[in-house]
Amino acid sequence: MTITVVPRGRMDYAAAFEEMRAYTATRTPESPDQIWLCEHPAVFTQGLAGKPEHVLHAGAIPVVQSNRGGQVTYHGPGQVVAYPLIDLQRAGYFVKELVFRIEEAVLRTLAGYGVTGHRVPGAPGIYVRLADPFDHSALTWPRPPEQEFDGLGKISALGIKVSRHCSYHGVALNVDMDLEPFHRINPCGYVGLQTVDLAFCGVHTSWEETASRLGGALAARLSP
């Protein structure tokens, strides 16, 4: 069964959350897998294990509790949010493989713009070198914990929920956004972690173009 990419456009986060949850709760073995592509108004979202102290100063931006994994993150205009609604039992892989495949899709999307993304062991998401996002050399591991994110900025955050063997929530890729709200939180629970976007990397592209590329990359890599 093929995966359908569904452009949802600008969509309230809470509404998307409820629709994903409802779709997953009522799925049958014949229900199609989908990838929703969204852009949310400004919102902070907390994961199941989210600690309140990681929200430093929300101001007028709402904080919404969700049931995904991970800590607090920010969604806002200029960010592509992709929600893979995948029947993992039918696809034949487990959550760890799902996360790897999603990260691989982000890496391939960035590579299409010439940007080199990196994984950080134990810290889901994708990172780039702050000094030179186009540097293709590999990072060296292991690093001391206090130097784990030295010279790196997070360009993509990831949080998944699995219910009845089916996934929802997903991944955010920063395109061209106001990054100031990330300073109001400890992104994904990491104190002082810098967050960047494609514009910071010197890549100027549209939300629609990046959404199309990411959606295609996810559909290709999440297929059985």
Side-chain angles (χ1 to χ4, degrees):
M1 188 176 290
T2 59
I3 301 175
T4 304
V5 179
V6 184
R8 300 297 304 268
R10 182 69 69 91
M11 190 176 188
D12 179 73
Y13 176 81
F17 177 18
E18 288 307 317
E19 285 193 38
M20 285 189 292
R21 183 157 54 183
Y23 184 83
T24 302
T26 57
R27 287 189 71 142
T28 71
E30 290 71 43
S31 297
D33 291 334
Q34 299 183 351
I35 297 169
W36 295 358
L37 300 175
C38 308
E39 183 182 34
H40 296 309
V43 62
F44 295 116
T45 71
Q46 278 279 30
L48 280 173
K51 298 179 179 179
E53 58 265 32
H54 289 311
V55 181
L56 308 177
H57 173 61
I61 299 176
V63 180
V64 176
Q65 182 67 47
S66 80
N67 64 350
R68 61 166 173 79
Q71 297 281 337
V72 65
T73 194
Y74 169 72
H75 298 306
Q79 178 191 67
V80 177
V81 185
Y83 295 126
L85 308 176
I86 308 295
D87 184 333
L88 299 178
Q89 193 168 48
R90 185 171 62 203
Y93 52 81
F94 297 101
V95 179
K96 187 175 180 180
E97 178 73 11
L98 171 67
V99 170
F100 182 88
R101 291 183 182 217
I102 290 174
E103 289 180 338
E104 189 65 25
V106 175
L107 291 171
R108 296 296 180 179
T109 302
L110 293 174
Y113 292 111
V115 173
T116 300
H118 302 272
R119 291 182 173 94
V120 172
I126 297 299
Y127 305 78
V128 298
R129 280 189 169 90
L130 296 171
D132 184 3
F134 301 96
D135 182 350
H136 296 319
S137 59
L139 298 176
T140 56
W141 303 102
R143 292 180 171 194
E146 67 275 8
Q147 298 175 15
E148 187 174 33
F149 299 107
D150 279 7
L152 298 178
K154 191 163 193 174
I155 197 168
S156 176
L158 190 155
I160 298 295
K161 172 69 176 178
V162 175
S163 175
R164 301 169 62 240
H165 307 291
C166 296
S167 72
Y168 59 108
H169 293 292
V171 65
L173 177 58
N174 305 333
V175 182
D176 187 359
M177 54 190 309
D178 178 7
L179 297 171
E180 185 276 332
F182 286 104
H183 296 291
R184 306 188 196 184
I185 60 174
N186 294 323
C188 303
Y190 295 106
V191 177
L193 176 61
Q194 185 169 341
T195 304
V196 299
D197 56 14
L198 280 171
F200 171 91
C201 297
V203 175
H204 299 283
T205 184
S206 67
W207 184 94
E208 291 79 9
E209 170 70 17
T210 306
S212 176
R213 292 192 185 200
L214 179 60
L218 285 165
R221 283 158 184 83
L222 296 180
S223 298

